[in-house]
Amino acid sequence: MSDPLVIGGRELTSRLFLGTGKFASNRLIPGAVQASGAQVVTVALRRVDPDFPEENIVNFVPEGCILMPNTSGARNAREAVRIARLGRAAGCGNWVKIEIITDNRYLLPDNFETIKATEELAAEGFVVLPYVSPDLMVARKLAEAGAAAVMPLGAPIGSNRGLKMKEMIRILIEEISLPVIVDAGIGRPSQAAEAMEMGAAAVLVNTAIATAGDPVAMARAFALAVEAGRTAFLSGPGEVQQYARASSPLTGFLRDE
Amino acid sequence: MEIILNGKTVDVAEGLSIADLVAQKKLNPQVVIVEYNYQLANKDSWPDIKLRSGDRLEILHLVGGG
Amino acid sequence: MSFYEVYRRFKDFDFTFFFNQLTDSDILRAIGKSRLSELDYLALLSPRAENYLEEMAQKAHHLTVQHFGKVILLYTPLYLANYCVNSCVYCGFRVKNDIERKILSFEELEAEARVIAGTGLKHILILTGESRKHSPVAYIKECVGILRKYFTSIGIEVYPLDEEEYAELISAGVDGLTIYQEVYDEDVYLEVHPAGPKRNYRFRLDAPERACRAGIRSVNLGALLGLHEWRSEAFFTGLHANYLQNRYPDVEVSMSPPRMRPHAGGTAPRVVVSDKNLVQYILAFRLFMPRGGITISTREGPELREHLIKLGATKMSAGSCTAVGGRTGAEKSTGQFDISDERDVAAMTRVIYSHGYQPVFKDWQSI
């Protein structure tokens, strides 16, 4: 069955986005990308340390993937916009994940600055995927600002704690017409399946795969979980029935006319 | 003369261009991007931009990230 | 964007085919969901769902109590004028109907207001026919100024206005708009509105949205049941309510399911909508819009209205009169239609209490 996810005019067949941070070695990345089936791969922009030049991450991402730089390090909208432009100049195309964080304890995003950055970058023609705390009013404003998707966190970044924000994310899925991509916090394939089952458009996973004992095998496990969850969502799962026929019926007065 | 490179004060020769500096640091010009005094500096412009004392330079590249 | 675009998506939808392919488990699944899709709602309006009315009723009852409590808000309609330039085939006020035409003077209005206020009601719905000559916006505005002394909530059910006019009435003290599309099917709409400004389908369809943009606090929609196939009309009414609720989250959206009643120069309903059909509509709407208001007027009879208290109704009229000046005037004019539940406010209050519910006279004070 054809069930593409369309973002920024691109048709994606994979609903698992992969982050490339925290891998023990860049050499693990190609295998993990392949096993995950990911078509959208996130990267970050950093200062070069001239004394310890690193390898170019782009060489480890299989060709054909959409490279989506994040704006990590940005503390406000202005910095996020600046980083996004640099990312595009670095050859990443026009996708960008806005990530604006001033909170060093929990690494929670600044929704207000994120809306401002989204507005500016969308107007410049970027395909903007903002990373936010799940909040309906914020998501509505992001949609108005021209975001291509909304990426609520399931739990704080890197916490592997799963869908702690489940009820809020469910509301976004129900109310927002943009794709809702759960980003951050997903630590287990079962949690990815859970997000997909409730109607998330995709999930973005990094830490759980990068820091697994066998990242390639874990990438495959996530791919299977995302597919299972999506298929379950599409197949219309049976609902838990709470409303049986009562002993004192409310409709007993109706006669067939 | 002194310039600020990636937040650190460094000593460079007078009249050095951005292209010279990138080569001197053995950086791959294909993968780094340069911000010169907060403005993105196009690769084509690197040989023409002669550094002056107090200039602010950011040399960046893509790394793993989520 | 307009609701018209949503309407157009389903204009040529094959309702019969959709209803025929539904299975029992489709119905049960829709009943079990916490958030229904448009097509889930349609499934619950299907003939097949008639087999599950009790399950729907249990959930509708539960949702209503959860979101509104055990309360029924009471209001009453007040007809200001019955001059009308339209030719709606189903209406007693239509231009060619030879009835006595009347418009309340401000003194008469004040007298009516005093009588109604004496019953304890604080929510009033004022109505006129469509005549910008006899009952212009300026007149309505002046009436609102008088009624503010007696009532805390003033709704209008008048001809469709433009956004500035809505804003003007809102600033004068109007907080609610009731406007029925009457029939959502565009072709049938044109048939039953053969002449007059009401022929403009789009202008009427977009009226609630204009009021939302003008800052109205609540809107009440409806299709007049009996003009066309009720299942699709109920469907479009629900979609319209959902559309407005999505775009104007701060507005209270509600619907009325009015059934055609006998009236002067009467035409028979084209489609008979039974009690069972009406109940199915109310239940399906409640499941689709758990927070949506449902208004039941005195078009319905006493027994049915009492049953509907537990099935999702949130608002009922009482002590109604559809004639201009009908509460005070010796010279009583012809009503728009005949009402079925003639009980006064005191009687309705007792009835609501007897079902374990609380009648509410006031839930809003504009300041």
Side-chain angles (χ1 to χ4, degrees):
Chain A
M1 184 177 51
S2 167
D3 169 38
L5 168 61
V6 181
I7 294 180
R10 283 285 294 266
E11 277 198 8
L12 306 172
T13 52
S14 164
R15 290 171 179 270
L16 174 58
F17 294 11
L18 185 67
T20 55
K22 300 188 190 174
F23 277 89
S25 155
N26 284 347
R27 276 160 193 74
L28 293 167
I29 291 174
V33 175
Q34 211 144 43
S36 71
Q39 294 167 297
V40 178
V41 173
T42 62
V43 292
L45 204 59
R46 286 284 179 278
R47 282 172 170 166
V48 170
D49 183 344
D51 303 324
F52 296 98
E54 291 171 62
E55 305 149 312
N56 181 15
I57 186 80
V58 177
N59 294 340
F60 296 93
V61 177
E63 237 170 274
C65 287
I66 294 169
L67 275 181
M68 177 163 71
N70 63 34
T71 63
S72 63
R75 287 157 301 168
N76 54 46
R78 194 176 43 81
E79 289 177 3
V81 168
R82 184 175 148 208
I83 296 172
R85 289 175 186 153
L86 292 171
R88 182 162 60 180
C92 280
N94 60 349
W95 285 46
V96 62
K97 166 181 164 176
I98 299 187
E99 180 179 330
I100 300 176
I101 292 174
T102 49
D103 161 47
N104 279 325
R105 192 187 295 266
Y106 302 103
L107 302 179
L108 293 174
D110 182 331
N111 283 354
F112 177 67
E113 291 291 323
T114 303
I115 294 167
K116 289 202 284 182
T118 299
E119 206 160 22
E120 194 163 345
L121 289 170
E124 284 184 24
F126 279 92
V127 176
V128 183
L129 290 86
Y131 167 66
V132 287
S133 291
D135 178 284
L136 180 58
M137 301 311 138
V138 168
R140 287 204 172 112
K141 292 199 165 96
L142 289 169
E144 276 169 33
V150 177
M151 302 210 292
L153 57 95
I157 296 180
S159 68
N160 282 347
R161 290 170 67 185
L163 288 177
K164 292 293 172 205
M165 306 303 290
K166 187 170 178 180
E167 287 311 312
M168 297 299 126
I169 293 173
R170 185 197 302 284
I171 290 171
L172 295 194
I173 292 170
E174 285 172 354
E175 298 295 331
I176 301 295
S177 54
L178 292 178
V180 173
I181 300 169
V182 179
D183 183 359
I186 292 180
R188 301 272 181 275
S190 56
Q191 294 158 353
E194 190 182 5
M196 296 305 295
E197 218 174 273
M198 72 184 211
V203 295
L204 195 159
V205 181
N206 187 351
T207 307
I209 291 174
T211 64
D214 182 344
V216 174
M218 189 57 94
R220 179 171 145 71
F222 267 98
L224 293 170
V226 167
E227 200 184 325
R230 180 66 188 175
T231 308
F233 170 73
L234 292 176
S235 65
E239 294 288 331
V240 181
Q241 293 299 334
Q242 293 169 26
Y243 301 95
R245 280 177 196 268
S247 49
S248 57
L250 288 165
T251 53
F253 68 95
L254 290 172
R255 296 166 294 271
D256 275 312
E257 286 147 83
Chain B
M1 71 175 182
E2 289 184 338
I3 63 162
I4 298 170
L5 172 60
N6 286 359
K8 284 184 201 149
T9 307
V10 294
D11 234 347
V12 297
E14 300 271 344
L16 200 72
S17 73
I18 292 178
D20 298 335
L21 182 74
V22 167
Q24 192 181 46
K25 296 283 178 193
K26 299 195 169 59
L27 300 172
N28 179 351
Q30 293 313 308
V31 305
V32 299
I33 50 173
V34 176
E35 221 187 19
Y36 175 63
N37 292 335
Y38 304 105
Q39 294 292 320
L40 180 67
N42 218 308
K43 217 155 278 181
D44 308 335
S45 67
W46 289 359
D48 304 329
I49 300 179
K50 305 287 183 215
L51 296 172
R52 282 175 304 191
S53 180
D55 275 350
R56 233 166 220 288
L57 217 59
E58 293 281 349
I59 305 184
L60 306 144
H61 67 158
L62 294 172
V63 298
Chain C
M1 183 71 185
S2 148
F3 175 66
Y4 191 59
E5 288 164 43
V6 180
Y7 169 72
R8 287 242 309 250
R9 265 204 287 133
F10 287 98
K11 188 174 166 46
D12 299 317
F13 187 80
D14 190 339
F15 288 94
T16 310
F17 176 81
F18 177 80
F19 290 149
N20 286 340
Q21 53 86 45
L22 286 171
T23 63
D24 286 347
S25 59
D26 290 330
I27 309 296
L28 284 168
R29 188 163 49 242
I31 295 172
K33 280 191 178 178
S34 60
R35 174 65 183 250
L36 279 69
S37 69
E38 292 166 337
L39 290 181
D40 290 327
Y41 172 51
L42 186 56
L44 295 185
L45 292 167
S46 69
R48 187 172 283 273
E50 286 179 14
N51 299 325
Y52 296 95
L53 286 191
E54 183 57 28
E55 284 82 350
M56 289 167 66
Q58 293 292 338
K59 184 169 181 189
H61 173 69
H62 176 83
L63 286 173
T64 309
V65 172
Q66 183 188 340
H67 289 294
F68 294 88
K70 289 190 160 186
V71 297
I72 296 289
L73 187 118
L74 291 175
Y75 73 99
T76 205
L78 169 54
Y79 281 72
L80 301 178
N82 62 4
Y83 288 94
C84 193
V85 297
N86 286 315
S87 306
C88 319
V89 301
Y90 49 83
C91 179
F93 285 174
R94 69 172 173 272
V95 63
K96 291 204 175 117
N97 238 8
D98 187 18
I99 58 165
E100 194 194 327
R101 301 288 168 172
K102 183 169 172 52
I103 180 163
L104 288 184
S105 69
F106 297 129
E107 293 72 32
E108 288 169 323
L109 174 68
E110 190 118 24
E112 288 261 323
R114 250 183 248 119
V115 170
I116 294 168
T119 66
L121 291 179
K122 289 290 179 191
H123 284 234
I124 192 106
L125 177 67
I126 52 176
L127 299 92
T128 68
E130 175 149 9
S131 173
R132 282 180 176 268
K133 184 172 145 215
H134 291 96
S135 45
V137 173
Y139 166 76
I140 299 170
K141 191 174 169 183
E142 193 129 348
C143 291
V144 169
I146 293 167
L147 293 169
R148 281 193 79 166
K149 292 188 283 180
Y150 299 92
F151 304 100
T152 61
S153 170
I154 302 170
I156 50 169
E157 185 170 353
V158 304
Y159 46 91
L161 307 179
D162 63 34
E163 192 177 327
E164 292 70 34
E165 290 170 325
Y166 281 128
E168 194 182 340
L169 289 180
I170 290 165
S171 68
V174 167
D175 61 275
L177 170 71
T178 289
I179 187 162
Y180 300 153
Q181 185 62 23
E182 319 291 12
V183 55
Y184 281 90
D185 185 290
E186 201 170 353
D187 302 330
V188 176
Y189 184 93
L190 293 175
E191 266 175 54
V192 299
H193 302 105
K198 198 165 172 179
R199 256 185 92 72
N200 190 338
Y201 176 88
R202 278 294 300 273
F203 191 66
R204 191 170 187 87
L205 191 73
D206 292 334
E209 179 155 20
R210 288 195 298 276
C212 289
R213 278 203 298 265
I216 199 94
R217 200 179 68 88
S218 65
V219 293
N220 186 35
L221 314 170
L224 183 56
L225 302 176
L227 290 177
H228 189 48
E229 217 294 303
W230 73 269
R231 297 179 202 274
S232 55
E233 288 297 309
F235 179 60
F236 285 123
T237 308
L239 293 194
H240 199 178
N242 188 43
Y243 166 85
L244 291 172
Q245 193 67 88
N246 286 342
R247 289 179 61 90
Y248 306 92
D250 56 334
V251 174
E252 274 182 36
V253 180
S254 59
M255 73 86 170
S256 294
R259 286 195 286 186
M260 281 178 73
R261 293 284 305 151
H263 58 86
T267 43
R270 300 168 159 218
V271 178
V272 173
V273 180
S274 69
D275 286 0
K276 191 174 176 180
N277 298 152
L278 182 73
V279 165
Q280 182 179 359
Y281 175 15
I282 289 170
L283 299 176
F285 181 83
R286 167 58 65 234
L287 268 57
F288 182 52
M289 300 275 296
R291 290 202 56 88
I294 298 176
T295 308
I296 308 293
S297 76
T298 54
R299 287 169 181 265
E300 300 302 336
E303 195 205 344
L304 180 62
R305 291 226 300 168
E306 286 182 38
H307 287 299
L308 294 178
I309 291 175
K310 290 199 169 118
L311 296 181
T314 57
K315 203 169 167 181
M316 289 188 177
S317 49
S320 296
C321 173
T322 70
V324 179
R327 290 183 180 84
T328 52
E331 34 162 354
K332 191 168 174 178
S333 66
T334 311
Q336 189 186 22
F337 56 85
D338 299 347
I339 64 176
S340 307
D341 186 345
E342 312 229 358
R343 290 174 293 186
D344 64 13
V345 175
M348 276 308 292
T349 301
R350 283 193 299 275
V351 164
I352 291 168
Y353 274 126
S354 77
H355 287 279
Y357 278 62
Q358 195 183 137
V360 171
F361 291 81
K362 168 181 170 180
D363 75 347
W364 169 252
Q365 169 84 55
S366 101
I367 49 173

